[in-house]
Amino acid sequence: MARMSKETLHDAIARLHAELRDTPQLDDEARRMLQEIAGEVGGATGTETHAPRLEAMAARFEAGHPSLAASLRGIADALGRIGL
């Protein structure tokens, strides 16, 4: 199960990177924040808790960028499944 969840997390991070690349209308601050969290989550060691920050970012992007919000929530869910 943990392997499957880690694969799910990897897929969710890959989707986030693709959406960042394909969403040119993001402002520089939003793009920087999303890239930062993607990097942090990709290197998660098990001591970090990213879910609250991911949820806050998802709420920020919900209206203007719903696919980014969904990706962030998917990452938060995957992290929860593997205990991060």
Side-chain angles (χ1 to χ4, degrees), residues 57-81:
M57 291 175 74
R60 175 181 174 188
F61 293 112
E62 190 66 46
H65 305 287
S67 63
L68 283 174
S71 289
L72 290 167
R73 288 189 175 106
I75 292 169
D77 289 344
L79 284 170
R81 286 192 296 274

Side-chain angles (χ1 to χ4, degrees), residues 5-27:
S5 295
K6 286 182 183 179
E7 290 171 0
T8 301
L9 175 60
H10 176 73
D11 292 345
I13 292 171
R15 279 192 307 275
L16 177 59
H17 281 290
E19 289 172 20
L20 283 170
R21 183 185 62 241
D22 297 338
T23 309
Q25 66 270 27
L26 284 177
D27 62 60

